[in-house]
Amino acid sequence: ILTNESYKETDVMSRIEKLKTALKYYSEDKDRQFEVKSTDEHIKLLQIQEQLEKETNQVFLELSLSETIFKCLIIGQTARASKLRSEFRIPEKRFWWIKLKALVKTNDWEGLENF
Amino acid sequence: ANSSDSSSSFSTTILRDFARKELIDILDSIRGKKSLVIDPTISGSLSLIAEFSLLKEHGVENIYHLQPGRFNIQCQHLVYICRPKMINMKYITEHIHENSNNPDNEIQYYIYFVPRRTMICERVLEDVGVYGDVTIGEYHLDIVPLDDDLLSMELDNSFKDLFLDGDMTSLYYVAKALLKLQTIVGIIPKIIGKGKCANYLKDTLFNLRRELEANHANSISSIPLFPLNSEIDSLIILDRSVDVITPMCTQLTYEGLIDEVYGIKSTFVELDSSLVGLTQNTANISHKLKKIPLNSNDKLFSQLRDMNFAVVGGILSQVARRIQDDYEGRHQVKTVSQIRDFIGKLNNLRAEHQSLRLHTNMTEEIRKFTLDSDFNKFLEVQQNFIAGITSHNLVEYIEEMINNQQPIEKTIRLLSLLSSVCGGIKAKSYEFFRKEIVQTYGYQHIITLDNLSKVGLFKKHDKSKNTYPSVRKALKLIVDDVDEHSPNDISYVYSGYAPISVRLIQCACLLSNSKSMPLPSTTSLFNPSSILSSNNTTNNYDDNHSSSNNNTNNSSQSNVSWKGCEEILKLLPGPIFEEEQPVINNSIYLNKKNQNQRKISLVLFLGGCTFTEISSLRFLSQQEDIQRDFIILTTDIINGNTLVDSLINQVQDEIKSLTTLNYS
């Protein structure tokens, strides 16, 4: 299993290519549904992060999904955060934790009160 | 603690002297001044073998760490001492190529592999065309004595090598080392063990002995290979895979907690210099790290190391009071911070004061750590899990940890513990946690999770029966009324949980000691509690083992044995074995045994052991019903964090180093 290879690529496009190869290998094994699904998500996240970096001029790559959502909330990309939440089917509990932490971080007392 | 006066004859310093002599021989074989380049993974071991001044006496001018990057050096002889690893070969060839561009600087290269050279490394050197430029040798530094009763191979990540990668190289090193050890202390007559790797090691050891004896028979030498006396009467080999629960628990002894909080490497702990108290000036805010040795030379530390942390503060203030009486006898000192103030006032700091200061400061820092509410909640959940309580709200705590982005090692420790005590996690939760982890900590942990399931630490519940509850009851792992001040059982090291590994050793040492000990009343499973309360005189040990156990008069038979605890051992993974090694001269061994000397067992951990296990073995050796000393040999010293870390897929560091390379 050489998913790690993809991390060695500095360029996002070639990383995604590597992950797609890994995905193919995983798909051949019936017991690897989790790996298939997660690698798929990983590719999707990288694409979204790349887009976000272009739009916001901020670093998003290397962040995990939760961290990405957290960062979106902090820089005011609330709509994007909600989209990520539904797209990756984030459990409600985790999403509220992320949101709560983001509100604290940005000193959004009003938001905290309405929480 | 009754027969501590008859101290054991074997001293671990022999091994140090051995390693020291070999190193000096290597250095002396290279004429003139030389520089050393040392693999960072063995520099800790080397510092225990030889101090810098000794190296200097033998012509060493400079010492460097083997690491990536440019390496400019002016010298005649460059000596690499490193593990036979690919990455090291890469660094070395880079150095050689770089220097070959500089005609003014002709260097003689030497590579000494620790503990042994490998074909593959030599092949790599050949392929890149530097093989002809280097002199290759071996430095057989294998067993490193960490203390009087503690030996380590210092093979980092041995658990991962053995149980994830299936790489048995380290077992070969251990077997070689054990054979060498036996040429010093004599053949160990009795070997028992549990686990797949333990069994493999035993077979390797026997093969190596046969090989050695065959070679010896062909030679004309009349010197016997092994000393006639056997100083160690038994060897107990345990696989870490037999007990993965213990390292997942937070160690609660003093030394164990130091390791959990700061990390101890080759007996050294790195502390902020302000904690060490070398500078009187507290306003000095230089946060330099200082390496402090922790071993039995520090009398105060050797008194404290094995104690439950709860007791340490009290003892420190007692010691402080004693010192105060010695000097002044005026002030009344009660709290730890008062002690520190008091110590700060002392002018002439002798070793004892310095030690007291160090341990007081460290204790205070660790106390802060243990008072943290997260730590306590974590501990509480942990203790519930090992007691077999895995209710919904406890499991939910792990979810909360993930949501709080607590360090992934902590999360995985608790998850692994849950998985181990439940014999796997229910499919639904399993999927849930896997998703939570990769989405929160990153998708590289797809591989981490795969690693964990491969070594069986975190896995989905399968059809097989969960054996932990029976193990827990049979070995009486959970002890409720622990008196940390004067413990009467090893479970004090985790404040109420006895390590499975050490319980097994306890059983092996107690059970067959049939002459002095009442045997347990074996019903379906034996219960050590009946042995521990030694007023049990009933002896209905009448199952099918009794015939083989009836060797009452044969005193050459070692009394370390699995007999009587096979039922329990069956509940734990891996095969068991029990073998007698042919001893060269039995009569001399017998004579020795009849003297009032304490017997010594060598306990070998494959895949690492924790400080708490070491402490519990020290505790056991002082119990009246054990009557033997333990010497511990481990592949490496581990705790839950280092164990989990070795299984975590570390990609971030690689990316970071790659990106920095690209920018430079």
Side-chain angles (χ1 to χ4, degrees):
Chain A
I1 311 155
L2 292 162
T3 317
N4 271 352
E5 282 291 311
S6 84
Y7 278 94
K8 295 200 175 121
E9 302 289 340
T10 37
D11 169 55
V12 183
M13 281 322 285
S14 42
R15 263 179 78 172
I16 290 175
E17 282 310 309
K18 280 269 163 73
L19 284 175
K20 281 186 177 158
T21 325
L23 189 62
K24 223 163 62 199
Y25 281 116
Y26 280 136
S27 320
E28 283 165 13
D29 191 339
K30 258 185 259 154
D31 297 330
R32 295 280 179 194
Q33 283 166 19
F34 167 74
E35 282 82 357
V36 171
K37 200 167 149 260
S38 307
T39 311
D40 208 26
E41 280 184 11
H42 191 181
I43 295 170
K44 219 157 57 180
L45 178 67
L46 281 172
Q47 285 162 342
I48 294 168
Q49 286 176 330
E50 205 191 11
Q51 206 184 341
L52 275 166
E53 289 202 343
K54 277 190 194 132
E55 287 169 18
T56 62
N57 237 345
Q58 302 228 19
V59 180
F60 274 94
L61 287 172
E62 311 315 335
L63 294 184
S64 74
L65 177 58
S66 293
E67 287 160 351
T68 307
I69 296 173
F70 179 69
K71 189 152 183 178
C72 282
L73 288 171
I74 283 183
I75 61 172
Q77 296 267 5
T78 327
R80 188 57 72 95
S82 313
K83 193 159 168 259
L84 281 168
R85 176 191 170 186
S86 56
E87 211 168 319
F88 289 88
R89 287 193 290 159
I90 308 269
E92 203 168 323
K93 222 194 248 169
R94 173 143 54 96
F95 185 77
W96 290 115
W97 268 106
I98 299 170
K99 184 152 187 184
L100 190 68
K101 280 200 282 187
L103 290 172
V104 172
K105 173 99 179 178
T106 52
N107 291 323
D108 186 347
W109 302 115
E110 209 173 305
L112 273 175
E113 227 152 276
N114 295 334
F115 194 74
Chain B
N2 49 350
S3 40
S4 52
D5 49 323
S6 60
S7 63
S8 48
S9 55
F10 171 63
S11 158
T12 58
T13 52
I14 298 174
L15 294 162
R16 178 172 172 269
D17 297 341
F18 241 71
R20 205 174 152 95
K21 183 167 181 305
E22 196 185 344
L23 180 63
I24 290 168
D25 286 347
I26 287 172
L27 294 175
D28 288 346
S29 72
I30 302 161
R31 286 172 188 280
K33 304 261 177 237
K34 52 230 149 202
S35 293
L36 289 187
V37 186
I38 293 172
D39 183 343
T41 64
I42 53 174
S43 64
S45 314
L46 276 178
S47 68
L48 293 172
I49 300 299
E51 55 278 15
F52 184 57
S53 58
L54 180 83
L55 299 178
K56 236 174 160 174
E57 280 169 34
H58 294 271
V60 175
E61 289 190 302
N62 293 300
I63 299 178
Y64 306 93
H65 265 171
L66 183 55
Q67 53 196 12
R70 301 181 73 84
F71 187 64
N72 279 318
I73 181 168
Q74 295 283 334
C75 71
Q76 264 197 312
H77 302 282
L78 195 55
V79 185
Y80 289 94
I81 299 180
C82 64
R83 294 246 181 243
K85 290 255 159 78
M86 283 305 123
I87 189 83
N88 290 338
M89 296 308 103
K90 187 170 157 264
Y91 298 155
I92 293 173
T93 48
E94 277 169 9
H95 293 174
I96 296 178
H97 280 310
E98 205 175 310
N99 279 317
S100 64
N101 297 330
N102 180 0
D104 306 330
N105 193 10
E106 276 214 16
I107 301 178
Q108 292 269 346
Y109 295 98
Y110 305 83
I111 303 177
Y112 284 91
F113 289 110
V114 178
R116 257 147 246 286
R117 66 212 281 171
T118 60
M119 295 276 279
I120 194 152
C121 280
E122 292 181 57
R123 222 9 226 289
V124 170
L125 296 174
E126 259 172 57
D127 288 349
V128 294
V130 300
Y131 190 70
D133 302 331
V134 292
T135 309
I136 289 177
E138 290 181 343
Y139 176 34
H140 307 103
L141 174 64
D142 39 34
I143 296 178
V144 181
L146 299 183
D147 223 314
D148 300 336
D149 58 351
L150 180 58
L151 308 169
S152 169
M153 303 285 294
E154 296 292 87
L155 294 164
D156 293 348
N157 303 335
S158 65
F159 182 83
K160 173 181 175 280
D161 286 349
L162 291 175
F163 301 104
L164 181 64
D165 302 336
D167 178 356
M168 300 295 172
T169 322
S170 52
L171 294 186
Y172 178 74
Y173 293 157
V174 176
K176 276 274 195 191
L178 276 175
L179 195 65
K180 189 166 93 183
L181 183 71
Q182 290 183 102
T183 63
I184 302 169
V185 301
I187 289 290
I188 301 170
K190 182 75 173 257
I191 302 183
I192 68 170
K194 164 98 182 148
K196 222 176 84 201
C197 290
N199 200 37
Y200 182 94
L201 175 86
K202 180 229 8 171
D203 290 341
T204 313
L205 183 64
F206 286 178
N207 287 337
L208 286 175
R209 182 182 170 189
R210 238 171 276 137
E211 219 174 87
L212 185 71
E213 285 175 337
N215 284 337
H216 188 73
N218 291 335
S219 74
I220 38 163
S221 163
S222 59
I223 308 158
L225 275 174
F226 302 100
L228 297 177
N229 287 345
S230 296
E231 292 181 40
I232 296 173
D233 88 327
S234 51
L235 169 65
I236 306 171
I237 313 173
L238 285 182
D239 262 38
R240 189 71 271 172
S241 66
V242 173
D243 172 17
V244 289
I245 289 175
T246 298
M248 289 304 148
C249 300
T250 307
Q251 306 178 76
L252 296 177
T253 55
Y254 183 48
E255 191 168 21
L257 264 172
I258 296 174
D259 190 40
E260 298 274 350
V261 178
Y262 298 106
I264 300 177
K265 294 207 90 163
S266 303
T267 73
F268 289 94
V269 62
E270 281 196 356
L271 294 176
D272 194 299
S273 54
S274 64
L275 270 185
V276 184
L278 284 178
T279 46
Q280 296 272 337
N281 186 0
T282 44
N284 186 355
I285 325 165
S286 64
H287 285 291
K288 271 197 191 149
L289 289 177
K290 177 99 177 94
K291 266 190 159 183
I292 304 294
L294 293 176
N295 57 46
S296 53
N297 291 339
D298 179 342
K299 289 282 165 290
L300 182 57
F301 181 65
S302 70
Q303 188 190 347
L304 296 172
R305 67 195 308 182
D306 301 322
M307 291 182 165
N308 188 295
F309 184 70
V311 196
V312 169
I315 300 214
L316 280 171
S317 62
Q318 273 174 31
V319 171
R321 233 174 272 144
R322 198 201 71 223
I323 291 174
Q324 187 203 29
D325 285 347
D326 286 352
Y327 281 86
E328 296 180 74
R330 282 200 296 266
H331 309 297
Q332 283 297 312
V333 180
K334 284 196 182 73
T335 70
V336 172
S337 63
Q338 277 174 323
I339 300 166
R340 197 178 54 166
D341 292 343
F342 165 61
I343 297 302
K345 283 174 208 146
L346 284 175
N347 293 327
N348 47 350
L349 289 170
R350 297 235 184 91
E352 203 178 15
H353 303 134
Q354 227 172 40
S355 164
L356 179 64
R357 181 204 280 260
L358 167 71
H359 294 296
T360 310
N361 286 340
M362 218 160 24
T363 302
E364 207 176 346
E365 286 298 306
I366 294 172
R367 175 161 299 150
K368 273 183 214 154
F369 179 84
T370 58
L371 288 176
D372 180 74
S373 61
D374 279 344
F375 175 86
N376 282 296
K377 182 73 192 171
F378 183 74
L379 204 61
E380 186 192 320
V381 175
Q382 202 178 77
Q383 297 204 324
N384 275 302
F385 283 174
I386 45 179
I389 305 159
T390 54
S391 56
H392 184 64
N393 61 326
L394 295 171
V395 178
E396 244 177 14
Y397 176 71
I398 305 179
E399 187 188 343
E400 202 180 303
M401 283 176 68
I402 299 172
N403 289 338
N404 274 314
Q405 301 225 6
Q406 295 247 17
I408 186 166
E409 290 87 355
K410 262 181 95 178
T411 307
I412 289 180
R413 268 176 94 157
L414 209 50
L415 264 182
S416 301
L417 191 64
L418 177 66
S419 171
S420 302
V421 301
C422 295
I425 288 177
K426 271 181 248 140
K428 207 175 143 210
S429 315
Y430 183 68
E431 292 308 326
F432 173 77
F433 279 123
R434 288 210 292 180
K435 182 181 167 191
E436 293 290 295
I437 283 172
V438 294
Q439 291 194 346
T440 303
Y441 296 110
Y443 288 103
Q444 71 270 28
H445 297 301
I446 297 171
I447 293 172
T448 307
L449 291 168
D450 190 43
N451 290 348
L452 290 167
S453 89
K454 274 186 191 147
V455 299
L457 274 175
F458 177 56
K459 56 177 194 198
K460 193 157 69 179
H461 189 72
D462 51 24
K463 303 233 157 48
S464 63
K465 197 176 162 282
N466 177 22
T467 54
Y468 178 71
S470 329
V471 173
R472 190 183 71 233
K473 282 183 210 110
L475 289 177
K476 203 169 181 255
L477 298 179
I478 306 300
V479 178
D480 287 331
D481 45 349
V482 177
D483 181 359
E484 277 104 352
H485 290 269
S486 54
N488 56 8
D489 178 64
I490 56 169
S491 58
Y492 83 94
V493 299
Y494 286 103
S495 295
Y497 160 75
I500 296 175
S501 52
V502 184
R503 271 284 197 260
L504 291 179
I505 295 164
Q506 192 177 9
C507 293
C509 295
L510 274 181
L511 268 176
S512 46
N513 199 349
S514 47
K515 278 153 283 172
S516 57
M517 282 302 303
L519 282 166
S521 48
T522 38
T523 45
S524 59
L525 286 170
F526 100 97
N527 183 356
S529 64
S530 57
I531 317 163
L532 292 174
S533 58
S534 52
N535 48 10
N536 180 0
T537 47
T538 54
N539 184 353
N540 37 355
Y541 189 76
D542 52 2
D543 59 5
N544 47 6
H545 308 301
S546 55
S547 55
S548 55
N549 204 38
N550 256 341
N551 44 32
T552 42
N553 294 321
N554 189 355
S555 53
S556 77
Q557 198 105 22
S558 157
N559 59 7
V560 166
S561 168
W562 288 137
K563 285 197 183 75
C565 38
E566 290 94 337
E567 290 296 323
I568 301 162
L569 287 158
K570 248 185 251 166
L571 299 170
L572 295 162
I576 62 168
F577 58 86
E578 195 157 331
E579 307 257 0
E580 307 276 338
Q581 279 207 96
V583 179
I584 298 163
N585 194 331
N586 233 345
S587 56
I588 291 184
Y589 175 67
L590 275 175
N591 282 341
K592 251 198 117 152
K593 254 187 75 175
N594 291 339
Q595 289 161 16
N596 221 357
Q597 192 159 29
R598 272 166 79 81
K599 281 174 242 158
I600 307 175
S601 288
L602 182 65
V603 177
L604 169 59
F605 288 94
L606 301 173
C609 78
T610 60
F611 282 112
T612 37
E613 288 169 310
I614 296 164
S615 294
S616 349
L617 283 170
R618 285 181 184 143
F619 177 83
L620 272 193
S621 72
Q622 308 202 339
Q623 302 311 296
E624 275 180 41
D625 46 9
I626 295 285
Q627 295 283 344
R628 60 173 61 239
D629 287 333
F630 294 103
I631 291 172
I632 299 146
L633 171 60
T634 179
T635 45
D636 54 342
I637 294 189
I638 57 164
N639 62 40
N641 293 340
T642 57
L643 181 61
V644 167
D645 255 334
S646 71
L647 301 169
I648 286 179
N649 185 28
Q650 315 272 10
V651 288
Q652 303 297 347
D653 296 340
E654 246 173 80
I655 297 166
K656 267 178 214 146
S657 63
L658 273 168
T659 42
T660 47
L661 278 177
N662 284 347
Y663 284 119
S664 62

